[in-house]
Amino acid sequence: QVQLVESGGRSVQSGGSLRLSCALSGYIYSSYSVGWFRQAPGKEGEGVAAIGSDGTTTYADSVKGRFTISQDKAKDTLYLQMNNLKPEGTAMYFCAADGLLTPTLSVSDFGYWGQGTQVTVSS
């Protein structure tokens, strides 16, 4: 059974940093893409960053230069380093995975999701 478990979310002040982690287990594909998504209250989910099975990355324009996605395949763990956080970054953050070659920020492209970790950024 595929499982994704996020951790690292907490409250932080604007301008602060956080690193989110996502532990992946039971994956059925030999190669896969992983990504981070977020959903703020009353808003639709949006892609934040993703890594394709080819190793390439993609970022939402709103986080470019501030967020970095990385993956430790030996540990089956995905990370999201978030620097210079802004109040609009307050959301539930989810990691997702699927058997994709290239990275994508489309929610509908991912079939496996974690339960999420809450990030709150205060001004």
Side-chain angles (χ1 to χ4, degrees), residues 29-47:
Y29 295 106
S30 59
S31 62
Y32 56 90
S33 292
V34 286
W36 287 99
F37 296 77
R38 64 187 179 188
Q39 185 168 24
K43 296 187 177 181
E44 290 187 358
E46 63 173 347

Side-chain angles (χ1 to χ4, degrees), residues 33-94:
S33 292
V34 286
W36 287 99
F37 296 77
R38 64 187 179 188
Q39 185 168 24
K43 296 187 177 181
E44 290 187 358
E46 63 173 347
V48 175
I51 297 179
S53 60
D54 60 357
T56 57
T57 58
T58 188
Y59 294 89
D61 288 343
S62 59
V63 306
K64 280 181 182 176
R66 299 187 298 118
F67 290 14
T68 303
I69 188 171
S70 61
Q71 185 180 19
D72 185 337
K73 288 195 173 183
K75 296 182 179 179
D76 283 333
T77 303
L78 179 69
Y79 302 99
L80 184 68
Q81 177 66 43
M82 305 186 294
N83 298 326
N84 190 21
L85 282 160
K86 302 178 180 181
E88 53 263 38
T90 293
M92 185 72 79
Y93 284 71
F94 301 86

